Amino acid sequence: MSAELIIDLAQLRTNVAAVRERMAPAEVLVVIKDDAYAQGVEPIVQAAYEAGARWFGGMDLPSSLRARRTAGEDARVLAWMTVSAPEAAEALEGGLELGVGDVDYLERVATVADDTGIVARVHLKIDTGLHRNGVRPEHWDNFCRRAYALERAGCLRVVGIWSHIAEASDAEDDVSRAEFDRAVDVAKSVGLEPEVRHLAASAAAWHRPEFRYDLTRIGAFCFGIRSEGGPDISEIAPIATLVARVSHVSADDVTIAIGSADGLASSLAGRSHVSTPVGPRGIISVETFETRIEGWRDANVDDVVIVFGPGTRGEMTPTDVGEAIGTVGEEPLLRVSPLVPRRYVP
Ligand SMILES: *Cc1c(COP(=O)(O)O)cnc(C)c1O
């Protein structure tokens, strides 16, 4: 028996309910990109749906299509990665809404909509300063006019206006928000009638009500991942626990059956600890298939140690592990190999 990623769906429902309550009357789009942060789209979407979520979204089409199939017709699913024409066709046939952040893509989606006979529901994206994707403010006016023409022609329907912000400083986010408001005004002035405006992800949406608009896109907080360097939020907790078993006990140390091939960063050596039956023990070295940790008296093969989890048994949380190696809390989860079995606790 090797490592296991245990996923607490009751905790997910608690998190989603807490996030939904906090954001109301704004809606919550549960972000399920990258196979729901490596925790499995289908069970995550099912549980979030049970907790009331009706919007889902992600970058990649496969995760988004799976979310749509799981959540069904009364849920709305947005995919925001710019994709090829055949992929866009697959997305429309699968009932997805598309995030559109450049004019070439707008034309491509319109052509695909024409070809498939499906009216594309699109969310137009303004670049409010992050420079990752999105239409620059100086091109926004023309972009909206073109979208309106395509809407009148019956190819598409502009259902949303959106952007993504850095969440690095309140001042920068305020500048982005002013830009966003201008973009919405421009869209309306050319005749568009978006149903939803959405700007913020977990941190800004949680702490700053004026960033919530009609819809918030929440990834990290639904999964209980606190922001890097950010405060603990008492209403939410990590849903994933990564456990491994002791495979060998020597006089000096203990070996556990999990290694870099399973997704542990080798840089955790000397920087992180695991939680054992007798308390925390430091990680000495991470090899391909196993990891050496500080030993303890009476250690036994098959003892369970916790690599990360909600933090209730002295273990690191995913964000603690990320911080130990200079990254965000999503990363330790995304690294967990698909070969590590997922076990769902309902
Ligand atoms: C990942 C992502 C989110 C979710 O961000 P969190 O900080 O995890 O809530 C929201 N919007 C976009 C565009 C994203 O890519």
Side-chain angles (χ1 to χ4, degrees), residues 268 270 272-274 276 280-285 291-295:
L268 287 171
S272 186
H273 66 259
V274 300
T276 75
R281 289 292 183 276
I283 295 178
I284 299 168
S285 69
T291 292
R292 275 194 312 130
I293 61 176
E294 294 168 336

Side-chain angles (χ1 to χ4, degrees), residues 31 33 37 59 80 162 164 167 201-202 217-220 330:
V31 177
K33 61 190 174 198
Y37 301 83
M59 283 167 64
W80 53 76
W162 71 297
H164 194 44
E167 297 187 341
S202 291
R217 299 182 309 273
I218 311 296
E330 288 85 341

Side-chain angles (χ1 to χ4, degrees), residues 103-339:
V103 70
D104 291 345
Y105 190 41
L106 182 70
E107 299 296 343
R108 185 148 79 241
V109 168
T111 305
V112 168
D114 243 1
D115 293 347
T116 57
I118 301 169
V119 178
R121 288 182 291 175
V122 300
H123 297 240
L124 303 183
K125 185 176 184 190
I126 172 94
D127 176 3
T128 53
L130 204 53
H131 306 311
R132 221 188 263 168
N133 169 251
V135 172
R136 295 287 307 145
E138 60 270 27
H139 304 307
W140 180 252
D141 193 305
N142 281 337
F143 182 65
C144 287
R145 283 177 206 286
R146 181 62 186 147
Y148 183 62
L150 292 167
E151 187 171 275
R152 294 286 298 261
C155 310
L156 53 80
R157 162 104 183 85
V158 175
V159 293
I161 305 288
W162 71 297
S163 189
H164 194 44
I165 55 176
E167 297 187 341
S169 81
D170 283 2
E172 251 178 88
D173 290 349
D174 289 338
V175 172
S176 295
R177 194 166 69 86
E179 195 69 70
F180 184 67
D181 288 338
R182 262 197 301 280
V184 171
D185 288 345
V186 168
K188 288 182 175 161
S189 75
V190 308
L192 295 171
E193 294 173 351
E195 298 162 37
V196 286
R197 299 158 298 164
H198 47 111
L199 180 60
S202 291
W206 185 271
H207 296 292
R208 307 190 68 196
E210 66 274 27
F211 280 72
R212 291 177 195 152
Y213 294 90
D214 310 301
L215 183 65
T216 57
R217 299 182 309 273
I218 311 296
F221 286 12
C222 290
F223 300 91
I225 301 167
R226 80 173 154 78
S227 311
E228 191 192 0
D232 273 327
I233 290 171
S234 60
E235 292 92 330
I236 63 170
I239 68 167
T241 302
L242 181 62
V243 300
R245 279 170 203 272
V246 171
S247 56
H248 183 76
V249 177
S250 79
D252 306 325
D253 53 43
V254 159
T255 302
I256 54 174
I258 186 169
S260 56
D262 303 295
L264 284 202
S266 36
S267 54
L268 287 171
R271 296 207 181 91
S272 186
H273 66 259
V274 300
S275 171
T276 75
V278 298
R281 289 292 183 276
I283 295 178
I284 299 168
S285 69
V286 180
E287 321 289 342
T288 310
F289 298 111
E290 56 189 31
T291 292
R292 275 194 312 130
I293 61 176
E294 294 168 336
W296 64 95
R297 242 153 53 102
D298 306 329
N300 285 308
V301 168
D302 273 351
D303 281 352
V304 174
V305 307
I306 306 173
V307 178
F308 61 69
T312 46
R313 287 150 297 183
E315 74 275 18
M316 315 260 285
T317 67
T319 307
D320 296 334
V321 173
E323 283 169 351
I325 55 171
T327 185
V328 295
E330 288 85 341
E331 190 168 320
L333 280 163
L334 290 174
R335 295 180 76 105
V336 177
S337 163
L339 299 179

